[in-house]
Amino acid sequence: MAKVLMKGNEAIGAAAIKAGCKFFFGYPITPQNELPEFMSRELPKIDGVFVQAESEVAAINMIYGAAGAGARTMTSSSSPGMALKQEGISYIAGAELPCVIVNISRGGPGLGGIQPSQADYFQSTRGGGNGDYRHLVYAPSTLQEAVDLTIEAFDIADYYRNPVIVLGDGMIGQMMEPVEFNEPKKRDLPAKDWATTGTEDKRRPNIINSLALDPAELEKHNIKLDNKYKAMEENEVRYEMYKTEGAELIFVAYGTTARIVKNAVDALEAEGIKAGLIRPITLWPFPNKAFNEIPTAKALVSVEMSMGQMIDDVKIANNGKLPVHFYGRTGGMIPTPEAIVEKAKEILGGGK
Amino acid sequence: MATEKIIMAGFGGQGVMSMGQLLTYAGMIENKQVSWLPSYGPEMRGGTANCAVIVSDSPVGSPIITGDATTALVLNLPSLVKFEKNLQPGGRLIINSSLIEKKAEREDVKAYYIPANEIANELGNSKVANMVMLGAYLELTKIVSVDTVIEALKKVFGPSKADLVPLNKEALSRGAECVK
């Protein structure tokens, strides 16, 4: 299919429709508004449903309902709106329902600002909701990747019966790049025989529920969920290695920041300094194994648009082997390649 | 061509966003690597607007342009004041001299003065001042062909506005003449 020039928010919406999403529930918040706007315009054309809910809490519970009925469904929001959705996400994970949730994040805490930020790493990977649950977090770095991962997210959600988060920031949402909508590769997905679609008196009712008062039963359920999460850790980890071969200094960065770090890596290369980048594409599960593929590295630097959140996972993956440094800008400020280059030189002791 | 990093800036309504999208679209048609990044935020009508466009032969890294713009197209005074410093040495500064009396301060950049609004008014439509500016830029860089920009324009306008294509074509060509 031919390339089209689209805004990130719209491209994610178009990708969802391509993946068969027919039900969208959301509540406006900058910088993701073009996404629900796109869905409100496009979903009625394919007999889909768009609802602007009365709040983020209502929207995520509408997702719970639509997913429970077996539909492919999506919601989107930005940081403080995502905070409001956390209870619903925990219920959806507990009830084992598939759905896709997009966070085009902004600076915080609280209402914060509207410029690009990566301060929702903890919220996304640790879960703001209660209980022992996990969900996949995709962090696209380009709009093409945002499209591909959004399409795939629906299959992954159905396969594991679990919510999947697509995490971008204001820059991914607002910028335009050419994108292609390729046919997704077909996966064997289990039938949704658990969905509450009406018994027609032919079977026992299906029940969608996250309440389990018997501790023995709940423990069994937790173990079942944990086995799913282990399977995701085994099968769904994704990352990119950029110029890591022979590199002395390894940056770790995702999403928008990874693009900026690539510029810094190229600039360092031009000066004869060997640096590389580990770019996690899944933030959870985190690509721990990537850290076994950098035998020449002398130090790690986590670069984030936050005060340092992913650095915790970098330290876990590194397991004490190398010194771990940090460089970050926050509040909607975006790191420059020049500042990252300076940081690299400082770490390597070559700064003048 | 290696990488063109262009800042386009003016006040809301001057068409800087659409001018940027047009160039991005044209770059895509010519199979170049492109990105378009708008400023976004709480703005009022008549407030400032700008976008960063990258057109390159290699994949676009960061879509943000900080201190290494190859060209800045500035359509009003605040944009000149704000973005002159973002040019790399030797960069091009294309100034809408109809609305900006001030000259370029830096001596390490090449400045071009285009009376874009006057030319647009001569053509009978002040809204094509942006296309006059773009025409000058295309003539200077040949980054994409004018024909491709026209092709992109037809796609953006759609069939209902096909009658506006000749006017825009004329505006591009008048802009080009200013720097020939």
Side-chain angles (χ1 to χ4, degrees):
Chain A
M1 201 182 145
K3 283 188 174 176
V4 285
L5 188 64
M6 284 182 100
K7 250 192 176 194
N9 283 329
E10 295 185 337
I12 291 170
I17 289 175
K18 177 90 186 169
C21 171
K22 289 186 85 170
F23 300 87
F24 184 96
F25 310 93
Y27 187 80
I29 182 168
T30 307
Q32 60 85 55
N33 282 324
E34 294 85 355
L35 175 42
E37 185 191 8
F38 179 87
M39 297 308 252
S40 72
R41 189 173 68 232
E42 297 300 323
L43 279 175
K45 293 182 190 169
I46 55 160
D47 291 326
V49 172
F50 169 88
V51 179
Q52 181 175 317
E54 67 269 36
S55 72
E56 288 86 348
V57 177
I60 193 68
N61 284 292
M62 290 175 188
I63 294 286
Y64 185 82
R72 285 205 154 175
T73 182
M74 180 166 96
T75 184
S76 66
S77 193
S78 182
S79 309
M82 282 298 287
L84 289 165
K85 289 185 197 289
Q86 295 301 324
E87 177 195 56
I89 295 172
S90 170
Y91 279 50
I92 290 168
E96 292 192 87
L97 297 177
C99 65
V100 175
I101 303 160
V102 179
N103 179 9
I104 301 296
S105 66
R106 53 191 249 176
L111 276 176
I114 59 174
Q115 297 301 321
S117 169
Q118 297 180 321
D120 291 356
Y121 185 91
F122 286 153
Q123 184 200 59
S124 305
T125 59
R126 270 48 177 180
N130 62 296
D132 256 339
Y133 76 99
R134 292 287 194 175
H135 48 61
L136 209 89
V137 183
Y138 284 130
S141 186
T142 65
L143 298 199
Q144 185 61 55
E145 198 172 54
V147 163
D148 295 342
L149 292 175
T150 300
I151 291 173
E152 184 140 20
F154 282 92
D155 275 354
I156 297 283
D158 278 351
Y159 184 80
Y160 291 102
R161 288 179 60 184
N162 205 53
V164 175
I165 306 275
V166 178
L167 176 66
D169 58 48
M171 199 155 88
I172 293 286
Q174 295 294 323
M175 74 183 290
M176 284 179 118
E177 277 184 318
V179 290
E180 248 175 321
F181 294 88
N182 299 311
E183 279 303 319
K185 64 167 191 269
K186 287 267 171 280
R187 265 177 199 257
D188 279 334
L189 296 173
K192 293 185 173 180
D193 52 10
W194 43 265
T196 51
T197 51
T199 64
E200 296 176 2
D201 291 329
K202 286 174 189 157
R203 59 165 170 82
R204 292 170 60 85
N206 286 335
I207 295 168
I208 306 281
N209 179 34
S210 72
L211 179 69
L213 291 173
D214 177 349
E217 280 303 311
L218 183 52
E219 185 185 48
K220 213 190 286 178
H221 183 58
N222 283 143
I223 290 168
K224 180 190 171 202
L225 292 180
D226 192 55
N227 286 335
K228 284 202 311 195
Y229 305 146
K230 287 200 170 84
M232 288 182 216
E233 286 180 311
E234 188 66 32
N235 303 318
E236 306 304 337
V237 171
R238 287 215 210 159
Y239 57 97
E240 180 196 358
M241 306 294 273
Y242 183 75
K243 299 188 178 176
T244 50
E245 213 178 302
E248 289 183 21
L249 184 67
I250 298 290
F251 294 104
V252 190
Y254 66 96
T256 289
T257 310
R259 297 177 71 130
I260 301 164
V261 170
K262 280 186 181 177
N263 284 23
V265 167
D266 293 349
L268 286 163
E269 187 181 37
E271 292 186 43
I273 300 169
K274 286 181 178 168
L277 165 70
I278 293 175
R279 178 172 74 88
I281 299 170
T282 51
L283 301 185
W284 194 89
F286 194 74
N288 292 326
K289 63 182 172 191
F291 294 78
N292 298 327
E293 300 166 13
I294 46 169
T296 54
K298 291 177 182 159
L300 301 170
V301 202
S302 187
V303 185
E304 307 174 42
M305 288 196 287
S306 76
M307 291 307 291
Q309 298 189 13
M310 180 178 67
I311 188 172
D312 287 11
D313 281 336
V314 173
K315 284 178 178 169
I316 292 169
N318 177 51
N319 205 9
K321 283 181 286 194
L322 299 170
V324 179
H325 302 267
F326 176 75
Y327 180 76
R329 295 296 301 271
T330 187
M333 298 302 288
I334 297 168
T336 62
E338 295 78 25
I340 297 167
V341 164
E342 279 314 303
K343 181 72 185 179
K345 289 179 182 172
E346 180 194 313
I347 292 165
L348 292 171
K352 291 187 186 79
Chain B
M1 181 193 67
T3 298
E4 268 290 302
K5 298 185 171 188
I6 312 116
I7 293 172
M8 300 181 174
F11 59 75
Q14 280 186 307
V16 293
M17 296 303 196
S18 47
M19 171 170 57
Q21 284 183 13
L22 212 52
L23 180 62
T24 312
Y25 208 119
M28 180 181 80
I29 293 174
E30 292 195 4
N31 281 320
K32 294 181 161 62
Q33 306 285 329
V34 293
S35 70
W36 175 89
L37 180 71
S39 62
Y40 69 92
E43 295 285 6
M44 60 181 179
R45 193 173 288 268
T48 57
N50 69 79
C51 62
V53 175
I54 297 181
V55 182
S56 179
D57 290 325
S58 47
V60 177
S62 168
I64 306 162
I65 303 171
T66 46
D68 58 348
T70 53
T71 303
L73 285 97
V74 292
L75 276 69
N76 68 349
L77 180 61
S79 303
L80 172 62
V81 173
K82 187 171 179 189
F83 292 112
E84 185 173 7
K85 63 176 186 304
N86 291 65
L87 280 165
Q88 60 184 40
R92 297 173 207 89
L93 183 54
I94 307 179
I95 297 171
N96 177 11
S97 59
S98 300
L99 300 185
I100 309 171
E101 285 177 16
K102 197 172 172 291
K103 302 291 172 199
E105 279 184 9
R106 283 173 62 176
E107 288 177 357
D108 63 342
V109 299
K110 285 172 277 188
Y112 304 88
Y113 299 90
I114 314 292
N117 286 71
E118 282 147 50
I119 292 171
N121 287 336
E122 278 172 32
L123 295 173
N125 189 334
S126 62
K127 285 184 189 163
V128 295
N130 59 343
M131 299 300 282
V132 175
M133 295 290 284
L134 185 62
Y137 172 73
L138 293 175
E139 177 64 26
L140 288 170
T141 59
K142 313 274 190 208
I143 179 176
V144 290
S145 79
V146 174
D147 288 345
T148 313
V149 172
I150 298 293
E151 191 186 332
L153 195 68
K154 284 177 185 163
K155 288 201 171 128
V156 174
F157 278 170
S160 67
K161 299 254 177 75
D163 55 318
L164 290 173
V165 171
L167 171 67
N168 281 277
K169 214 169 170 174
E170 181 64 16
L172 286 170
S173 127
R174 290 290 302 274
E177 278 168 28
C178 295
V179 293
K180 266 180 187 164

